[in-house]
Amino acid sequence: MSGPPGPDAGPTVDGGSLPDLRLAGLAVAAWLAALAGLHLGPRPAALLAAGAAGLATLTAGHLLGVLGRPAAPVRRYGWIAVAVLLGVVCGAASTAARLVVRDAPAVRALVDDRATVDVELVVRDDPRPVRGVPGRPATLLVRADLVALTGPDGVRVAAPVRVLVLAADPAWRGLLPGQRLTAEGRLGAPRGGDLTAAVLTVRGPPARHGPPPWSQRAAGVLRAGLQRACAPLPDERGGLLPGLVVGDTSRLPSAVEEDFRDTGMTHLNAVSGSNVAIVVGAVLLLARWSRAGPRVAAGLCGLALVGFVILVRPSPSVVRAATMGAIGLAALAAGRPRAALPALAAGVAGLVLLDPELAGDPGFALSVLATGGLLLLAPGWRDGLRRRGVPSGLAEALAVPAAAQVACGPVVAGISGTVSLVAVPANLLAVPAIAPATVLGVAAAVLSPVWPAGAEFAAWLASWPAWWLVTVARHGARLPAGALPWPGGVPGALLLAGLTVALLVATRRPLVRRLVAVVAVAVIAGTLPVRLVAAGWPPAGWVAVACAVGQGDALVLPAGTGRAVVVDAGPDPAAVDGCLRRLGVRAVPLLLFSHFHVDHTGGVAGIFRGRRVAAVRTPQWPEPAAGRELVRAAAAAGGAGTAAATAGWTYRVGGLELVVLGPPYPLRGTRSDPNNNSLVLRATVAGVRILLAGDAETEEQRALLDRAPPGGVRADVLKVAHHGSAYQEPAFLDAVRPRVALVPVGVGNSYGHPNGAVLARIARGGARVLRTDTDGDVAVVLGRGGLAVVNRGVDPGRRQP
């Protein structure tokens, strides 16, 4: 029997105004200890657990009076320290145990030998395509649990560890979680930092053994039904709705995906705790409306939770989201909202101990932080707005997205290297549409097996809030100065987290709050005009822009207001689309391709995103076929006519004149025939001559000198051939004698581009050399003082590895 708390017990949390943080220390300690163990290895993790256990024992003994009666402040906070130490013990010990299993000697020896093995697997999550070469089958990434493997010596080894499967065969695409199968592949070493014991590269199809679990089959039926119900809808809405409801983005247009990423709304396309809260909350609202008792309401909510988990497939990430989303609702249904935070802490600790790999999962961190922000920050902000006369509903709508964004901001900044200025308003505008789209989408999925027409009607209704979300993302992504650069990685995340906590603590004082408001307004008023006006992107008087699209080419030539001729498309649709957006290009009267290599054609779909392309011109050389077919398919889908261009072909539009200089004749038997049959173009804009050399190497450059075109190859601006490779003809560079040289090249590419000696030779000739890997988008500008260059800078959120 215990009496009332003593004078040193501190403020109570059940009836006071302070949040109940009694379990938070244990949960955070377990999380950080598990994260440290994943990166340090099993032995340091075990030592960390042992050391924390010793300290916890000594501290508890002191608090219990075994080592003498402690002072009042020590008694007040001592048990918090014990809880933190116990969290370290639990997190480090569970991680060490799982790492010992991961590093089993039998498996490790085969991994070190890169052995070819036969494996028995159980699929853990949906196969996910990773970006590959356009026109070729995508590589599929499949996370699986290894049951056993048979090595080259024929010995079967039971090994309950996790593996990452890289597969190219399309038969892997339709696998469901829980499916048992066998396959043959070569083992490789994982990157570390998680519980993956090996990477298995397979070439052939899997051999399935039995059906997947009934829950996964049911999910497959419902998800396929939702896709059928969305099929009649416009592409943007029909592709977004399955993503909102079940995280299925297989039909989501890449343009919409990019818009959502730029506006901080990409979390809507992944199943999270908010999805669970919306669905279960709708059931709870219906139960209360029908005057059902607490037990009946709790039972209905439980059934809805289980059903939703089945619908979106009970993979580990979905179970995590269900746990986070159910925490607040469970406390709310029990009539004790203050119990939500301890429940969150208990849920975090339990999930981390059950699966220590979650400690390093950004999705887990975002789920936890968003839920914590809603519990800790949103209520106070909502009440503060109400006290200042803001209507209740509007105060809730303002506080919820702001709290979630502030809580998740450090992790997002660490991942992207930017701090978004449009994320909060964009998510605020999205709030009214999320719940209707989700609920109606779930209804469409549930109705699809029994009433297809009703499912299509529900999907049609859901498409209107989905249209609003697409509209918000599209316009938000086009706003200038929408994101500020920020240090990336763990240092950047910790820096923003520290600043956020400091501001949240400091602004509890009215004077500091007013000071922060004044400083924030001053920074915005001072920064945004500079970014919107002074930065001037695109700069006035630009005559050519080399887009930073990675290891590839994409050049833009102005052809009037909102119009431009584009030469090559780079390897990535999103990258070239982003460059054209930043330049304000809405129409492309002519799209040219120097040759059909994928680093010049892979991004062709990005040029057609939301733009009318009037005509496409290609080289006569037809290889490689994959790039040629990619261009033809995109042109046909966009309604653009396609034709080949040859030496002497000319084109004029809006003050721009183009002439094809080469190849002067077909070149065969060279080091690279596609490169040496590149279209070499001379563009003239406002009197500035620009030579675009494609990927022409020494053979084509010599041919151009031998059969010099009218006017020669002299130019003010040179797009250096083949990303500045070593295959340049010195006499050709001397004949061009550019004042500005542009080198489109990717960060850290494996080809050794650009060649230092080539750049040095061009620079010695008096040219200013700029490269897109270090300077970002580069513009050549004609001003009163003649030619100048302006570089936009590398976007830290899109740096290549």
Side-chain angles (χ1 to χ4, degrees):
M1 181 175 179
S2 61
D8 60 348
T12 60
V13 292
D14 292 331
S17 59
L18 295 177
D20 189 345
L21 299 174
R22 288 173 288 187
L23 284 177
L26 185 146
V28 172
W31 189 351
L32 295 178
L35 181 61
L38 289 173
H39 290 277
L40 295 175
R43 183 171 297 177
L47 292 175
L48 178 62
L55 287 176
T57 303
L58 291 174
T59 306
H62 185 51
L63 293 172
L64 294 173
V66 175
L67 303 177
R69 182 171 177 78
V74 175
R75 292 198 304 273
R76 179 177 301 176
Y77 299 108
W79 290 111
I80 297 177
V82 171
V84 170
L85 290 170
L86 288 177
V88 174
V89 172
C90 295
S94 64
T95 305
R98 298 294 294 272
L99 291 175
V100 169
V101 176
R102 182 198 70 179
D103 297 338
V107 177
R108 178 61 59 188
L110 292 171
V111 170
D112 292 341
D113 293 340
R114 299 184 59 84
T116 299
V117 296
D118 294 315
V119 295
E120 302 172 30
L121 303 173
V122 178
V123 178
R124 297 186 69 240
D125 212 339
D126 290 302
R128 181 168 60 88
V130 295
R131 182 176 294 170
V133 176
R136 298 180 185 176
T139 298
L140 296 171
L141 187 151
V142 186
R143 300 188 182 276
D145 290 323
L146 180 65
V147 177
L149 57 81
T150 304
D153 56 1
V155 177
R156 185 177 185 273
V157 179
V161 296
R162 295 179 181 178
V163 296
L164 186 64
V165 180
L166 300 178
D169 194 290
W172 289 83
R173 185 179 296 275
L175 294 176
L176 297 178
Q179 174 70 59
R180 298 182 67 90
L181 56 90
T182 56
E184 180 184 359
R186 181 181 295 276
L187 293 174
R191 65 178 183 180
D194 56 22
L195 296 179
T196 303
V199 175
L200 182 73
T201 303
V202 299
R203 296 186 178 277
R208 308 188 190 198
H209 297 278
W214 69 268
S215 59
Q216 301 290 355
R217 298 198 302 273
V221 171
L222 294 175
R223 290 162 70 97
L226 177 61
Q227 286 284 11
R228 288 194 300 272
C230 294
L233 301 175
D235 288 345
E236 292 182 338
R237 304 186 218 172
L240 176 62
L241 194 56
L244 290 173
V245 177
V246 297
D248 182 1
T249 57
S250 58
R251 286 185 53 212
L252 183 66
S254 52
V256 177
E257 187 174 8
E258 182 75 6
D259 289 344
F260 271 60
R261 190 184 68 82
D262 289 343
T263 52
M265 296 169 59
T266 190
H267 60 91
L268 298 179
N269 291 325
V271 177
S272 65
S274 62
N275 300 73
V276 179
I278 289 171
V279 174
V280 180
V283 174
L284 180 62
L285 192 64
L286 289 174
R288 289 182 174 176
W289 177 74
S290 62
R291 299 181 180 179
R295 293 184 178 180
V296 174
L300 291 175
C301 288
L303 289 175
L305 179 62
V306 172
F308 185 71
V309 170
I310 290 176
L311 170 63
V312 299
R313 292 185 179 163
S315 62
S317 59
V318 172
V319 174
R320 175 203 74 210
T323 302
M324 293 295 107
I327 284 170
L329 287 170
L332 217 57
R336 297 184 60 196
R338 298 186 62 79
L341 193 59
L344 172 63
V348 169
L351 287 172
V352 168
L353 297 182
L354 183 65
D355 184 4
E357 191 172 83
L358 288 175
D361 182 3
F364 178 70
L366 291 174
S367 291
V368 173
L369 291 173
T371 307
L374 297 181
L375 296 176
L376 283 173
L377 302 178
W381 293 359
R382 175 200 60 203
D383 296 342
L385 291 171
R386 286 175 177 173
R387 287 193 297 269
R388 288 163 176 79
V390 179
S392 177
L394 180 58
E396 189 87 30
L398 288 170
V400 167
Q405 191 65 37
V406 167
C408 296
V411 175
V412 175
I415 295 172
S416 66
T418 60
V419 175
S420 176
L421 299 182
V422 301
V424 171
N427 280 277
L428 175 62
L429 291 172
V431 165
I434 296 171
T438 302
V439 173
L440 289 169
V442 170
V446 172
L447 290 173
S448 61
V450 294
W451 189 18
E456 289 189 7
F457 180 68
W460 178 79
L461 291 176
S463 71
W464 292 103
W467 166 83
W468 173 248
L469 295 174
V470 170
T471 302
V472 169
R474 178 185 298 118
H475 289 284
R478 282 159 174 73
L479 288 176
L484 297 176
W486 190 264
V490 175
L494 292 177
L495 175 61
L496 186 57
L499 291 175
T500 301
V501 171
L503 286 174
L504 290 175
V505 172
T507 52
R508 296 175 66 88
R509 297 179 179 273
L511 178 61
V512 177
R513 187 161 55 242
R514 295 189 186 99
L515 179 62
V516 169
V518 171
V519 171
V521 170
V523 169
I524 293 175
T527 303
L528 288 187
V530 171
R531 290 178 61 84
L532 295 174
V533 180
W537 194 265
W542 67 279
V543 296
V545 168
C547 297
V549 294
Q551 181 64 15
D553 274 17
L555 279 295
V556 188
L557 304 169
T561 302
R563 291 156 52 88
V565 170
V566 181
V567 181
D568 289 326
D572 180 12
V576 69
D577 176 45
C579 181
L580 294 178
R581 286 188 192 183
R582 293 188 291 271
L583 293 171
V585 175
R586 299 183 298 274
V588 178
L590 178 65
L591 170 61
L592 293 103
F593 291 93
S594 62
H595 64 298
F596 290 122
H597 276 154
V598 72
D599 57 333
H600 294 248
T601 62
V604 60
I607 296 176
F608 281 85
R609 286 181 187 171
R611 301 177 189 88
R612 183 179 180 275
V613 179
V616 177
R617 291 294 179 267
T618 65
Q620 281 191 317
W621 193 266
E623 296 173 351
R628 183 185 71 242
E629 295 307 316
L630 195 66
V631 170
R632 289 181 177 176
T642 304
T646 57
W649 181 83
T650 60
Y651 178 82
R652 293 178 179 84
V653 61
L656 164 67
E657 180 182 352
L658 278 173
V659 180
V660 177
L661 304 183
Y665 50 85
L667 295 164
R668 295 179 174 85
T670 67
R671 199 192 73 86
S672 172
D673 286 350
N675 285 350
N676 281 303
N677 284 277
S678 292
L679 291 182
V680 176
L681 310 169
R682 181 176 64 220
T684 305
V685 182
V688 178
R689 289 163 56 113
I690 305 162
L691 187 67
L692 308 176
D695 273 6
E697 296 180 348
T698 52
E699 292 91 340
E700 185 175 2
Q701 293 176 15
R702 289 171 187 156
L704 284 168
L705 295 177
D706 292 340
R707 295 192 182 182
V713 295
R714 174 77 176 88
D716 303 298
V717 180
L718 170 66
K719 196 291 296 183
V720 180
H722 200 191
H723 322 293
S725 77
Y727 300 103
Q728 311 285 336
E729 172 58 46
F732 179 80
L733 297 177
D734 294 341
V736 178
R737 294 199 325 275
R739 297 157 61 193
V740 175
L742 305 178
V743 187
V745 65
V747 178
N749 65 85
S750 59
Y751 304 100
H753 298 162
N755 179 268
V758 168
L759 299 191
R761 182 182 184 93
I762 296 174
R764 284 197 303 270
R768 173 79 182 275
V769 180
L770 293 102
R771 34 193 291 188
T772 58
D773 59 340
T774 56
D775 299 311
D777 295 345
V778 177
V780 180
V781 178
L782 180 62
R784 293 180 179 178
L787 280 185
V789 292
V790 179
N791 67 297
R792 183 176 173 272
V794 177
D795 185 345
R798 291 182 172 86
R799 285 184 185 272
Q800 292 182 327

